[in-house]
Amino acid sequence: MDTRPAPHPTPQADAWLDTLPQAVLLFCAGGGPPGAGMTVTRVNAAAVRLWGVPQERAAGRSLLEVVRRHTLEALAERGGELELEVGGRTLRCTATRAGEGREGALVVEDITGHRRREAELREATAVLSHEFRTPVTGLRGVLEALEYDMPPDLAQNFVRQGLQEVERLARLVEDLAVGFRPTRARTLPLAETFARAERLLTPELTTRQASLTFGADHLVRADPDKLLQVLLNLIENALKYGPPGQPVEVQTSPRGTWVEVAVLDHGSPLGGTDSLFRAHTRGPHAPGQGSGMGLYIVRSIVHGWGGQAWTERRGERNAFCFTLPGGVGHGL
């Protein structure tokens, strides 16, 4: 049996390996000192950067000496593919064997960016599905109402509401291309958003036999649709998680050049409140099914205009608060 080591590839013959972004390590089996297992014959430039062993030192050494991981040694031995988490990076490692199994290659690709983009895509999908829910629910209510005979002026009012929700859907579709931060900020009175929110929430308020009150009006600077989304999320949470039939109050107060808005409910005291604003997180006593994205969306939108979002206990009530830039002047 020929036990001589496989000839080392000449630098000229495989110079193209150094142009690859993946780390490539070529090896042969049974060609090194006794017990060496697999011997490295060539590493490309990316492999030198990954393992910190230059070509002249890597050639002739055992594979384990260069990669310093038994997991990779075992992969090179059997062939196949696996992913490793190393120093905060995700590496896809592939091993192949050729030449009757004596020669092989270990290829390592950094896919950290790819995995991060996958996570961002999943998050974006969750955010969009959550944001589309409100206008779709509003449209369903309008269409159900229009099935019944009603005075023309009332029917026209429902049609206007439906058109407003269609416009919101169109703007959400536009956001697919530009991200989720507010891009259409203008100065508006809070009362304008309060009126939109109350109109959309009327069916749920009636079903839950709950009342909703709003504090003093203030001029603010925000994207009207994003502000409405924040307010709807917080009020819907208060209605959903607070005791049935209890009032929900929206308080407002100036804070220098900012305006604070707080949604108060009569729910039980909350623990670990900061974690509630993380993605896919729900309170320990949250009933039913939910995506756990509502408060995450709230904080993301509020941070987008430079504000803060938090929750605290005020007397016997939970307060979910956020700040937003004030407009010209405060009280109206």
Side-chain angles (χ1 to χ4, degrees), residues 85-150:
E85 296 291 334
V86 180
R89 295 182 298 170
T90 303
L91 305 178
R92 178 187 289 141
C93 311
T94 306
T96 60
R97 302 293 290 268
E100 299 181 352
R102 293 187 63 249
E103 300 172 5
L106 179 63
V107 181
V108 179
E109 180 181 7
D110 189 338
I111 59 171
T112 307
H114 178 69
R115 289 289 179 258
R116 182 173 60 250
R117 288 189 291 273
E118 284 184 340
E120 290 171 350
L121 180 59
R122 287 193 297 269
E123 180 179 307
T125 302
V127 169
L128 277 174
S129 65
H130 195 284
E131 288 207 341
F132 270 91
R133 183 187 62 187
T134 300
V136 168
T137 300
L139 278 173
R140 183 187 296 118
V142 167
L143 293 174
E144 289 174 349
L146 290 173
E147 284 186 316
Y148 300 94
D149 292 331
M150 62 182 70

Side-chain angles (χ1 to χ4, degrees), residues 273-282 292-296 299:
T273 53
D274 192 64
S275 65
L276 295 176
F277 289 91
R278 297 172 186 162
H280 307 293
T281 301
R282 306 179 71 216
M293 292 296 292
L295 292 179
Y296 171 77
R299 177 167 282 182

Side-chain angles (χ1 to χ4, degrees), residues 2-292:
D2 185 2
T3 59
R4 290 176 298 174
H8 292 194
T10 63
Q12 294 79 10
D14 60 2
W16 59 271
L17 285 174
D18 290 325
T19 67
L20 297 177
Q22 300 90 351
V24 179
L25 180 151
L26 305 180
F27 62 88
C28 65
M38 290 162 288
T39 303
V40 176
T41 59
R42 172 83 159 88
V43 291
N44 72 345
V48 171
R49 292 191 295 271
L50 177 63
W51 289 301
V53 181
Q55 166 63 22
E56 59 271 16
R57 290 179 54 198
R61 289 195 173 192
S62 71
L63 186 144
L64 182 59
E65 283 186 275
V66 175
V67 302
R68 298 185 296 278
R69 282 184 177 272
H70 286 286
T71 306
L72 291 179
E73 182 188 38
L75 178 67
E77 179 68 37
R78 71 174 184 272
E81 182 178 304
L82 59 80
E83 286 187 11
L84 285 179
E85 296 291 334
V86 180
R89 295 182 298 170
T90 303
L91 305 178
R92 178 187 289 141
C93 311
T94 306
T96 60
R97 302 293 290 268
E100 299 181 352
R102 293 187 63 249
E103 300 172 5
L106 179 63
V107 181
V108 179
E109 180 181 7
D110 189 338
I111 59 171
T112 307
H114 178 69
R115 289 289 179 258
R116 182 173 60 250
R117 288 189 291 273
E118 284 184 340
E120 290 171 350
L121 180 59
R122 287 193 297 269
E123 180 179 307
T125 302
V127 169
L128 277 174
S129 65
H130 195 284
E131 288 207 341
F132 270 91
R133 183 187 62 187
T134 300
V136 168
T137 300
L139 278 173
R140 183 187 296 118
V142 167
L143 293 174
E144 289 174 349
L146 290 173
E147 284 186 316
Y148 300 94
D149 292 331
M150 62 182 70
D153 56 340
L154 183 58
Q156 187 61 35
N157 183 52
F158 276 109
V159 170
R160 282 196 297 269
Q161 291 184 35
L163 288 174
Q164 288 179 352
E165 294 310 306
V166 170
E167 290 172 358
R168 285 189 65 204
L169 283 170
R171 287 191 288 268
L172 283 173
V173 171
E174 291 176 9
D175 280 349
L176 285 169
V178 298
F180 302 102
R181 292 197 171 194
T183 57
R184 290 170 289 270
R186 64 176 175 87
T187 299
L188 72 154
L190 272 174
E192 177 183 312
T193 305
F194 290 164
R196 292 176 67 190
E198 186 172 27
R199 184 175 65 249
L200 290 170
L201 291 167
T202 294
E204 189 168 358
L205 290 167
T206 302
T207 300
R208 297 180 181 275
Q209 297 182 329
S211 63
L212 175 62
T213 58
F214 296 96
D217 196 7
H218 297 270
L219 282 176
V220 296
R221 181 78 179 173
D223 179 311
D225 289 334
K226 298 297 186 182
L227 177 56
L228 178 64
Q229 188 68 31
V230 168
L231 200 61
L232 287 175
N233 269 319
L234 296 182
I235 296 175
E236 286 176 339
N237 277 355
L239 292 171
K240 187 183 301 183
Y241 302 132
Q246 291 294 318
V248 174
E249 181 183 1
V250 180
Q251 295 181 347
T252 63
S253 55
R255 294 286 184 265
T257 59
W258 294 78
V259 175
E260 178 187 300
V261 179
V263 177
L264 292 91
D265 64 60
H266 290 266
S268 303
L270 298 171
T273 53
D274 192 64
S275 65
L276 295 176
F277 289 91
R278 297 172 186 162
H280 307 293
T281 301
R282 306 179 71 216
H285 305 297
Q289 299 293 319
S291 65

